[in-house]
Amino acid sequence: MSDDAKGMRRGLTRYGDADFSLYLRKAFIKAMGYSDDALARPVIAIADTGSAYNACHATVPEIVEAVKRGVMLAGGLPMPFPTVSLHESFAHPTSMYLRNLMAMDTEEMLRALPMDAAVLVGGCDKTIPAQLMAAASANVPAIVVATGPMLPGSHQGERIGACTDCRRFWARFRAGAIGMPEIEEIAGRLAPTAGTCGVMGTASTIACMTEAMGMMLPGGASIPAVHADRLRHAEAAGTQAVRIAASSLAPSQIMTPKALSNALRVLLAVGGSTNAVIHLAAIAGRLGLALDYDAFDRIGRETPVLVDLKPTGRFYMDDLHRAGGMAPVLRALKPLLHLDCVGVTGRTLGEEIERLPPAWPQEVVRALDNPIHRGGSIAVLRGNLAGDGAIIKQSAATPELLIHCGPAVVFDSLEDLAQRIDAPDLDVTPESVLVLRNAGPKGAPGMPEAGYLPIPRKLAERGVRDMVRISDARMSGTAFGTVVLHAAPEAAAGGPLAWVRDGDPIALDVPKRTLVLDVPDAELARRRAAWKPAAAPADSARGYRRLYLDHVQQAPQGCDFDFLAKVPATGRIPV
Ligand code: FES
């Protein structure tokens, strides 16, 4: 079969006789009742990530139906297919551990199944990153449709939402300020509708970045999951997929260095999730682009936080949508964006901004000269404890702790943390620096969102709400606090966190971008020489666990598998 084969003639199963392959495919697909007319149409695959284990994707069946409708209205043949689906709270040990599996599954299905374009229906934190990694590698024309954010709930007259308020109420419960009956009641109200977390967590951040990079139709990032507009957006995506199938507008033409740089600008301007830094690095790696931490920090200093959403600010995604969604964000950021990037509409970002509806008065998105936070929602730290870099979401930190020096209290693992954090005899004060190690990509494994270490109960009960915390783990995009994350290389790979001991002074200076373990170099060299990797756990001998441990990279490389990145890298972002 020639390379320019279309539709059902693409990618024939190999029997050594192409005509026989087509004949056999036709025989089987006819068993599903398709006509010759249907089978001659452009084929639009739809990645269906609906799952009983994924609350954020509860509306996927409706979305898939709407995409199918849009495809058929444009004369195409919609073909949904299932992929791995990941929800944050239903994946053991973490959804991050399985993101690369979802990316591999999706990539290989995009390659294996006959299609002219694909609509990728994702939403919960790791799903759209996995789909964009897959689209980048398979380079099949593709459009992302997000499931959309959930609506906020209400508790005793106060608006609440997953999951910034989950953490706030849990911290109050741990401090004894509220009891079990109330925390149970709150659990029933935090997520009142289907959809992704209703704050600027990872899912919302990734949706905004995907719209900004041009892989989603305009307006798609913020429409609530349960609004009828969400289905109209999905229908439009189906129709547009038929058009890009005809034009062969491929992800590599859309996800350019400039487009990914625009996405990083948006991440910073929306006060987005630190997890998005890892995911963007992984997507870039698939395109042969390395994330330059120092350049990212530089654009951070000149990109203020404009969006007043939790966990950095006050509002919810529903409020952002009513304020115009990404329209006011892109309009405000226009001077800082590359406007010549082409998106799935075939138009440039500059043309899309020209087509935006007129602005109206709102208080969710600020102007460049009146930001929520000036310069750098996420900062990159360097120093002898930062190794190849660590990051902090300074816009969600306690300002008084951004320059801080205190003695380390070290937890060797998640298990050690769970056993000792609330121990009455834990030697800790509000000035201590909590260190969690062996919680990185290999160490945990799966780099769990454990970087938001709980405040030790005896301090929480005294009213302590924040402390400096450092780890090689990640943090939920919905969390807040003075939390240094993604220290690389991780302790399990012999990174500097492995050498810290209880009582060592640690100096954090975010304005100067430094993280320093104040221990003489000779002593650090001795500790480094004495370090030995932990024995491999018993369950690591086979299967995905073996593949994962052998090939997962560190945070600056997006925790992708080394063999999935495009090598050699040919460029760096941001530009
Ligand atoms: Fe799915 Fe938060 S748990 S987006």
Side-chain angles (χ1 to χ4, degrees):
M1 187 56 53
S2 67
D3 287 336
D4 58 1
K6 300 284 186 201
M8 283 296 167
R9 293 172 174 269
R10 282 185 188 267
L12 291 173
T13 310
R14 286 191 171 158
Y15 295 109
D17 178 344
D19 290 336
F20 174 72
S21 298
L22 186 58
Y23 161 77
L24 208 59
R25 176 174 288 175
K26 205 167 183 180
F28 281 111
I29 202 164
K30 285 215 157 185
M32 292 190 278
Y34 289 102
S35 65
D36 286 332
D37 181 23
L39 296 174
R41 302 298 180 110
V43 175
I44 308 300
I46 305 168
D48 180 347
T49 50
S51 162
Y53 291 100
N54 196 336
C56 299
H57 291 208
T59 54
V60 166
E62 291 172 75
I63 289 174
V64 169
E65 283 307 307
V67 173
K68 286 166 68 178
R69 188 165 65 242
V71 170
M72 288 191 282
L73 285 169
L77 175 64
M79 296 288 289
F81 68 100
T83 74
V84 168
S85 180
L86 300 173
H87 183 277
E88 286 305 293
S89 300
F90 290 88
H92 177 80
T94 74
S95 64
M96 187 64 189
Y97 172 72
L98 296 163
R99 182 204 63 182
N100 295 348
L101 180 67
M102 179 173 178
M104 290 172 74
D105 169 20
T106 307
E107 175 186 342
E108 294 309 323
M109 288 299 100
L110 291 179
R111 288 185 199 285
L113 301 174
M115 66 183 73
D116 298 298
V119 177
L120 308 171
V121 182
C124 196
D125 291 12
K126 308 304 176 295
T127 57
I128 292 178
Q131 292 172 329
L132 289 174
M133 291 159 71
S137 293
N139 209 27
V140 170
I143 298 179
V144 171
V145 173
T147 56
M150 67 176 72
L151 297 177
S154 168
H155 173 64
Q156 296 179 354
E158 180 191 359
R159 283 208 308 165
I160 60 172
C163 232
T164 302
D165 297 315
C166 316
R167 296 169 204 288
R168 184 166 59 85
F169 282 113
W170 189 252
R172 292 184 61 196
F173 173 66
R174 280 178 51 78
I178 58 177
M180 182 57 81
E182 187 173 354
I183 198 76
E184 289 284 353
E185 185 184 325
I186 290 166
R189 297 192 169 158
L190 283 163
T193 74
T196 51
C197 287
V199 297
M200 193 51 78
T202 306
S204 299
T205 305
I206 292 290
C208 293
M209 293 168 74
T210 305
E211 182 174 334
M213 76 171 73
M215 287 295 290
M216 178 187 284
L217 288 181
S222 63
I223 307 167
V226 293
H227 278 199
D229 272 344
R230 174 59 58 193
L231 299 179
R232 279 186 279 275
H233 170 79
E235 182 186 297
T239 296
Q240 188 60 23
V242 179
R243 297 194 188 119
I244 64 170
S247 69
S248 300
L249 182 59
S252 59
Q253 296 166 266
I254 297 172
M255 288 193 278
T256 61
K258 285 182 178 178
L260 297 188
S261 303
N262 285 343
L264 287 172
R265 286 275 188 199
V266 165
L267 160 63
L268 293 160
V270 301
S273 164
T274 47
N275 289 323
V277 180
I278 292 183
H279 297 315
L280 210 280
I283 295 162
R286 297 300 188 96
L287 297 158
L289 301 167
L291 176 60
D292 181 335
Y293 261 4
D294 293 329
F296 175 59
D297 189 74
R298 272 198 300 280
I299 70 164
R301 289 176 187 268
E302 62 189 40
T303 311
V305 179
L306 303 179
V307 178
D308 194 0
L309 252 64
K310 290 171 183 270
T312 300
R314 294 176 291 163
F315 295 105
Y316 294 89
M317 281 300 285
D318 176 45
D319 302 308
L320 176 64
H321 183 59
R322 284 186 283 111
M326 284 295 289
V329 179
L330 295 173
R331 193 183 281 119
L333 274 183
K334 186 178 174 186
L336 300 177
L337 296 172
H338 300 287
L339 301 175
D340 55 346
C341 299
V342 174
V344 288
T345 59
R347 294 185 289 270
T348 64
L349 180 60
E351 290 168 334
E352 297 297 356
I353 292 175
E354 289 304 313
R355 291 166 62 99
L356 291 174
W360 57 84
Q362 48 83 25
E363 52 180 340
V364 180
V365 182
R366 304 274 192 91
L368 266 184
D369 59 1
N370 179 33
I372 309 292
H373 186 278
R374 286 191 189 279
S377 69
I378 297 174
V380 177
L381 303 173
R382 299 290 188 182
N384 68 353
L385 198 49
D388 293 338
I391 65 172
I392 182 169
K393 187 172 180 178
Q394 57 172 329
S395 60
T398 302
E400 297 74 36
L401 289 174
L402 291 175
I403 300 176
H404 179 83
C405 185
V409 176
V410 182
F411 299 94
D412 253 329
S413 65
L414 293 166
E415 293 72 23
D416 185 31
L417 175 71
Q419 279 173 12
R420 293 197 296 123
I421 188 73
D422 289 337
D425 61 348
L426 183 69
D427 186 11
V428 66
T429 71
E431 290 70 41
S432 300
V433 174
L434 304 180
V435 174
L436 171 65
R437 61 187 172 210
N438 296 312
K442 290 178 192 283
M447 206 178 184
E449 291 182 339
Y452 177 74
L453 280 74
I455 302 297
R457 191 183 295 274
K458 66 182 182 184
L459 297 183
E461 286 171 349
R462 282 170 40 196
V464 176
R465 295 283 172 266
D466 194 12
M467 296 171 68
V468 174
R469 289 160 270 183
I470 301 172
S471 75
D472 44 18
R474 295 177 303 117
M475 174 174 86
S476 165
T478 62
F480 49 89
T482 312
V483 182
V484 177
L485 302 156
H486 307 181
E490 63 183 305
L497 278 188
W499 320 327
V500 186
R501 293 188 184 161
D502 281 335
D504 285 350
I506 294 178
L508 170 70
D509 189 331
V510 178
K512 289 188 177 153
R513 302 294 197 262
T514 55
L515 181 65
V516 175
L517 181 61
D518 195 6
V519 171
D521 288 346
E523 170 61 16
L524 285 183
R526 263 195 299 280
R527 294 182 193 178
R528 182 181 203 161
W531 178 82
K532 289 189 177 56
D539 61 358
S540 64
R542 60 172 296 281
Y544 182 71
R545 179 66 58 102
R546 182 73 267 148
L547 183 78
Y548 179 93
L549 291 174
D550 284 349
H551 294 285
V552 72
Q553 301 181 99
Q554 296 294 297
Q557 291 77 42
C559 302
D560 199 7
F561 293 156
D562 50 10
F563 60 85
L564 294 173
K566 184 176 180 185
V567 288
T570 52
R572 303 174 81 77
I573 57 162
V575 290

